[in-house]
Amino acid sequence: MGTKSPGIWPIPAGTRDYLPGEARRRRQLENQLAELFESQGFEEVITPTLEFFETMAVEMGEELENQLYRLFDRDGRLLVLRSDMTTPIARLVATRMRHLALPLRLFYLSNVFRYESPQAGRMREFGQAGVELVGQPESSADAEIIALSVKALHRVGLEDFQVSLGQIPVFNAIMDEVRLPENVVRLIKGAIARKDLVGLEQTLDAHRVAGGQKELILEFSDLQGGREVLGRAKSMVNGDYARQAIDRLEEVFDHLGDLGVEESVQLDLGLLRDFDYYTGIVFEGYTTDLGFTICGGGRYDNLLEKFGYPCPAIGFALGLDRLLLARANQRDR
Amino acid sequence: MGTKSPGIWPIPAGTRDYLPGEARRRRQLENQLAELFESQGFEEVITPTLEFFETMAVEMGEELENQLYRLFDRDGRLLVLRSDMTTPIARLVATRMRHLALPLRLFYLSNVFRYESPQAGRMREFGQAGVELVGQPESSADAEIIALSVKALHRVGLEDFQVSLGQIPVFNAIMDEVRLPENVVRLIKGAIARKDLVGLEQTLDAHRVAGGQKELILEFSDLQGGREVLGRAKSMVNGDYARQAIDRLEEVFDHLGDLGVEESVQLDLGLLRDFDYYTGIVFEGYTTDLGFTICGGGRYDNLLEKFGYPCPAIGFALGLDRLLLARANQRDR
């Protein structure tokens, strides 16, 4: 090919180069997190950048499936660039690690790929550091993982952050009570997940959800705060299933207190993460130094079963570029 | 998707999972090399996993181009998974780093992707650690980089290895003398690069290369040893161009002596690496503990010009999986 002028050698949208200094800070960040995770008994695993489509999509909503980078191998099989690490690690645990004694404490430092529409803070290739705790269904495991996310944010030097805690079964219980068609539930879930209260009301009105049902959903979507929120939540739901889900949150909160991180955590029952595999507690971390979430995770007790190994699990991932950005913003404050 | 039995969750051919222990050893290896490179004044850079096809293929032979993993982005542009790091770093230097004072000393620790036919030791995704020294045309730069490859192999704990040194212009000069069609030159180059002496003779016979020309090529392809090889090589070639190329090797050897690594290096004038961008010295590292090369590199003085920034450069890459394997074999010896 001929020589071109320098301006026309771009890189694909949503990807980035790391110049000297930037790359060093990223390596240091990775090593800080690797050391922390190892000190807490977690062991690193690495999986391939490419997975077969049927592996990656085993438990994935339509929206995320649409964001997969796809390519065909030379035998005509559909490959994808991994879009998160939880599913590949579930595949790995369910196949090559199923003979090992539980629980397994695993961590990773890997790049993932999502074909997102370009907007501030949304990269299409981005680094994640994360952990998975496999084989422990107890609330103490929930608390261990949430507390580890708090420790990780402290470890990398962030000062001013908050972790919000939601509980998928409470939302499911309320949806069971109001008995709406599945497509409407999906719209409601999407609006609540996006914190789009205007869109939520419009959706409810458009589908003639009115009166007490509308009130219930609107109030639920905005249930945020400390322990006191749990009392209000309990008064809103009927049935053992929903009450147990709220009791579970209370237990987790007690453990978090024992672990000394309760003050970094608040409840947000309207927190619904956009991965279909979550079945219980979900959580996200925020900092005032950045307009996006810097970490997210939750319990996924059914994902490993999809790979033939029924086993509860919980984990989280931190966004490495976002951590670097938040830390830089903090310094500039 | 439904639940499948465990045996049918494979990973793509030529990729691998790293279990606990394996992943830790890889991270330790990467950090050992990063520390060494930093101690020698090299700075890390990171580039995207995806590049536009026209960037990656800017100076690439047909065989390597056929090994690219290709995919289309949603605007219909052809993307590829990077198949080496030298070309992306040349792109980066020629665009965002062209205002910086030369020389630049850069290193990377990255995965690259090649659609190779599956065979022992050939991965389709594999990790590389490498360096690029940009902006120094001198033989002292050649020696610095070759000596750094020796240091790197020592640093990661290998004991029994050898670095072979070739010189592309000597081969080119001999081909100029025998005056064969380009396609025959390519076949000869391929056979010599593969150390396929039977294939080389067959090619020469098939294209009626006989007598003194045949002798010359066969003798050249087998010119291996210490300094004494240079005298023999000089007697084989005519013209200033070829003689200067051999003088250059002699200079590099002198520098390697000054740097105390001469005993780890031998000459192999039949060494021809399979990247089209090499223009001068090329080298490869071998160990008796592994049947494949564990590192390779060379001088590429025309690649940056393709990106609009004429500038000499030299570098090498180490195969991380192969280093781990060689180290394990060494322990088992």
Side-chain angles (χ1 to χ4, degrees):
Chain A
M1 259 179 228
T3 300
K4 298 189 187 182
S5 70
I8 54 169
W9 296 101
I11 54 177
T15 69
R16 61 168 294 194
D17 291 311
Y18 291 72
L19 295 174
E22 295 173 338
R24 188 164 44 83
R25 282 190 288 279
R26 174 154 166 178
R27 172 165 301 278
Q28 285 168 345
L29 183 77
E30 290 190 7
N31 282 330
Q32 281 179 336
L33 291 167
E35 275 166 32
L36 170 67
F37 297 152
E38 282 184 347
S39 76
Q40 305 293 304
F42 288 74
E43 296 185 292
E44 188 169 3
V45 291
I46 303 173
T47 70
T49 303
L50 292 163
E51 292 273 357
F52 287 117
F53 171 80
E54 51 259 50
T55 297
M56 204 63 223
V58 72
E59 176 88 77
M60 184 176 270
E62 203 180 333
E63 197 180 333
L64 285 172
E65 214 178 284
N66 286 335
Q67 291 179 354
L68 290 171
Y69 277 88
R70 294 154 194 248
L71 63 162
F72 284 97
D73 74 8
R74 294 184 186 189
D75 304 316
R77 292 194 64 175
L78 185 56
L79 304 177
V80 297
L81 298 176
R82 62 182 173 218
S83 61
D84 83 346
M85 286 299 293
T86 299
T87 300
I89 289 176
R91 191 255 314 139
L92 176 60
V93 168
T95 53
R96 294 185 59 199
M97 300 176 75
R98 61 190 295 143
H99 62 288
L100 298 176
L102 297 174
L104 295 171
R105 287 183 169 79
L106 304 174
F107 79 91
Y108 58 87
L109 287 150
S110 301
N111 279 12
V112 301
F113 302 80
R114 293 181 202 156
Y115 212 112
E116 308 231 28
S117 40
Q119 52 174 293
R122 292 274 176 195
M123 298 296 288
R124 290 178 176 176
E125 173 176 16
F126 53 98
Q128 289 192 327
V131 304
E132 314 291 350
L133 172 49
V134 179
Q136 282 200 333
E138 299 86 4
S139 57
S140 59
D142 296 351
E144 176 185 340
I145 291 299
I146 295 162
L148 184 52
S149 75
V150 172
K151 279 181 203 160
L153 295 173
H154 275 304
R155 179 69 188 85
V156 302
L158 292 188
E159 290 151 12
D160 195 6
F161 62 84
Q162 192 73 37
V163 172
S164 289
L165 205 57
Q167 170 72 311
I168 300 286
V170 179
F171 172 78
N172 290 342
I174 286 176
M175 288 298 114
D176 282 350
E177 277 179 39
V178 297
R179 292 171 190 269
L180 293 165
E182 207 180 311
N183 66 319
V184 180
V185 171
R186 189 166 305 143
L187 290 170
I188 292 172
K189 190 175 177 182
I192 294 176
R194 288 190 307 277
K195 305 267 171 220
D196 176 9
L197 289 188
V198 175
L200 178 60
E201 277 215 64
Q202 284 171 347
T203 300
L204 296 174
D205 291 344
H207 294 88
R208 296 164 203 269
V209 185
Q213 290 196 333
K214 181 176 170 181
E215 296 271 306
L216 178 66
I217 292 169
L218 286 176
E219 192 184 350
F220 164 81
S221 73
D222 199 33
L223 269 183
Q224 295 178 38
R227 238 171 225 284
E228 73 284 359
V229 163
L230 294 174
R232 274 173 60 208
K234 241 180 209 172
S235 70
M236 288 169 64
V237 295
N238 299 307
D240 288 348
Y241 174 69
R243 291 225 177 81
Q244 281 165 13
I246 295 167
D247 287 345
R248 171 77 169 219
L249 273 176
E250 204 149 21
E251 278 174 52
V252 171
F253 242 72
D254 288 342
H255 289 300
L256 291 173
D258 296 342
L259 295 169
V261 299
E262 189 177 336
E263 67 178 25
S264 298
V265 182
Q266 69 163 11
L267 290 163
D268 176 3
L269 288 180
L271 177 67
L272 304 170
R273 306 227 340 120
D274 58 358
F275 290 89
D276 273 26
Y277 49 62
Y278 287 125
T279 55
I281 297 275
V282 288
F283 59 100
E284 285 185 347
Y286 312 89
T287 158
T288 52
D289 293 302
L290 200 71
F292 334 101
T293 59
I294 44 177
C295 82
R299 177 167 284 284
Y300 52 97
D301 285 346
N302 300 334
L303 179 60
L304 279 117
E305 190 177 356
K306 298 280 175 181
F307 294 108
Y309 185 46
C311 191
I314 179 168
F316 70 81
L318 301 148
L320 295 176
D321 293 284
R322 292 181 177 188
L323 289 182
L324 289 169
L325 197 56
R327 213 160 61 170
N329 290 348
Q330 178 175 289
R331 266 193 301 271
D332 296 342
R333 206 164 45 189
Chain B
M1 257 175 233
T3 300
K4 298 189 189 182
S5 70
I8 54 169
W9 296 102
I11 55 177
T15 69
R16 62 169 293 194
D17 292 310
Y18 291 73
L19 295 173
E22 295 172 338
R24 188 164 43 83
R25 282 190 289 277
R26 173 154 168 179
R27 172 166 301 280
Q28 285 169 343
L29 184 77
E30 291 190 6
N31 283 331
Q32 281 179 335
L33 291 167
E35 275 166 31
L36 170 68
F37 296 152
E38 281 184 347
S39 77
Q40 305 292 305
F42 288 74
E43 296 185 293
E44 187 169 5
V45 291
I46 303 173
T47 69
T49 303
L50 293 163
E51 293 273 356
F52 287 116
F53 171 79
E54 51 259 50
T55 298
M56 205 62 224
V58 72
E59 176 89 75
M60 185 175 268
E62 203 180 333
E63 195 180 335
L64 285 171
E65 213 179 287
N66 285 335
Q67 290 179 355
L68 289 171
Y69 277 88
R70 296 154 193 250
L71 63 162
F72 284 97
D73 74 7
R74 295 185 187 190
D75 303 317
R77 292 194 65 178
L78 184 57
L79 305 177
V80 296
L81 298 177
R82 62 183 174 214
S83 60
D84 83 348
M85 286 298 293
T86 299
T87 300
I89 290 177
R91 190 250 323 134
L92 176 60
V93 168
T95 54
R96 294 184 60 199
M97 299 176 75
R98 60 191 296 143
H99 62 287
L100 298 175
L102 298 174
L104 296 170
R105 287 183 169 78
L106 304 174
F107 79 91
Y108 57 88
L109 288 149
S110 301
N111 279 13
V112 301
F113 302 81
R114 292 182 203 156
Y115 212 111
E116 309 230 29
S117 40
Q119 52 176 294
R122 293 270 176 198
M123 298 296 289
R124 289 180 176 173
E125 172 176 16
F126 53 97
Q128 289 191 326
V131 305
E132 314 290 350
L133 172 49
V134 179
Q136 282 199 334
E138 299 87 4
S139 57
S140 58
D142 295 352
E144 176 185 340
I145 291 299
I146 295 162
L148 183 53
S149 76
V150 172
K151 279 182 204 160
L153 295 173
H154 275 304
R155 179 69 188 84
V156 302
L158 292 189
E159 291 152 13
D160 194 8
F161 62 84
Q162 193 72 38
V163 173
S164 289
L165 205 58
Q167 170 73 310
I168 299 287
V170 179
F171 172 77
N172 291 343
I174 285 175
M175 287 298 113
D176 282 351
E177 276 177 39
V178 297
R179 292 172 191 270
L180 293 165
E182 207 179 313
N183 65 318
V184 180
V185 171
R186 190 165 308 143
L187 290 172
I188 292 172
K189 190 176 177 181
I192 295 177
R194 287 192 306 276
K195 304 266 171 220
D196 176 8
L197 289 188
V198 174
L200 177 60
E201 277 214 66
Q202 284 171 346
T203 301
L204 296 174
D205 291 344
H207 294 88
R208 297 164 201 269
V209 185
Q213 290 196 334
K214 182 176 170 182
E215 299 270 305
L216 179 66
I217 293 170
L218 286 177
E219 192 184 350
F220 165 81
S221 73
D222 199 32
L223 269 183
Q224 295 178 38
R227 236 172 226 283
E228 72 284 357
V229 163
L230 294 173
R232 272 173 62 205
K234 241 180 207 171
S235 70
M236 289 169 63
V237 296
N238 299 307
D240 288 348
Y241 174 69
R243 291 224 177 82
Q244 281 164 14
I246 295 168
D247 287 345
R248 172 76 170 219
L249 272 177
E250 202 149 23
E251 278 175 51
V252 172
F253 242 73
D254 288 341
H255 289 301
L256 291 173
D258 296 343
L259 296 168
V261 299
E262 190 178 337
E263 66 177 28
S264 298
V265 182
Q266 69 162 12
L267 289 162
D268 176 4
L269 288 179
L271 177 67
L272 303 169
R273 304 224 345 116
D274 59 357
F275 290 90
D276 274 26
Y277 50 62
Y278 288 125
T279 56
I281 297 277
V282 289
F283 59 101
E284 285 185 348
Y286 311 89
T287 158
T288 51
D289 293 302
L290 201 68
F292 333 102
T293 60
I294 45 178
C295 82
R299 177 166 285 283
Y300 52 96
D301 285 347
N302 300 334
L303 179 60
L304 278 117
E305 190 176 357
K306 299 281 175 180
F307 294 109
Y309 186 46
C311 192
I314 179 169
F316 71 81
L318 301 148
L320 296 176
D321 293 285
R322 292 180 177 190
L323 289 183
L324 290 169
L325 198 55
R327 216 161 59 171
N329 290 349
Q330 178 175 291
R331 264 193 303 271
D332 295 343
R333 208 164 40 188

